[in-house]
Amino acid sequence: MYVPYIAFHVMVFERLIAALDRQANVGYLMYLCDAFGYLASVAVMLYKNFCAPDLDWVEFFVGASYVTAGVSAALGIGAMAFFRNRIRKAP
């Protein structure tokens, strides 16, 4: 499950650095994503245990998966639109 995560982030971050015409690497951006991923994991556990303790873990996981898929698709489409727009403006 980690390989698609790395491949997607590296692809997006490398294109972002190229689109912004900066000299950089993806190390810091990957660190930030990992940190927010760990924070989100803790937030999910806290929410499940304190805000929805009666909800079954499977039901919670399925619902969270649908939300994550929707948000990821929207952000992916947004990234695609950004890069497409940025490439068209490039000389």
Side-chain angles (χ1 to χ4, degrees):
M1 289 181 62
Y2 193 67
V3 172
Y5 164 79
I6 292 296
F8 182 75
H9 280 94
V10 168
M11 178 183 62
V12 169
F13 292 150
E14 287 288 343
R15 291 297 91 215
L16 180 65
I17 291 169
L20 296 176
D21 198 27
R22 301 280 190 231
Q23 291 183 354
N25 63 28
V26 298
Y28 183 69
L29 296 173
M30 291 296 294
Y31 167 76
L32 282 177
C33 281
D34 283 345
F36 279 108
Y38 295 133
L39 179 65
S41 297
V42 171
V44 164
M45 287 190 294
L46 289 174
Y47 173 78
K48 167 63 178 89
N49 288 327
F50 295 114
C51 296
D54 297 331
L55 187 61
D56 184 44
W57 271 106
V58 174
E59 292 176 28
F60 178 76
F61 181 73
V62 169
S65 296
Y66 284 135
V67 170
T68 302
V71 169
S72 297
L75 291 174
I77 291 169
M80 185 178 67
F82 170 78
F83 291 130
R84 198 174 264 195
N85 188 25
R86 184 75 180 187
I87 290 170
R88 286 185 183 154
K89 289 183 179 178

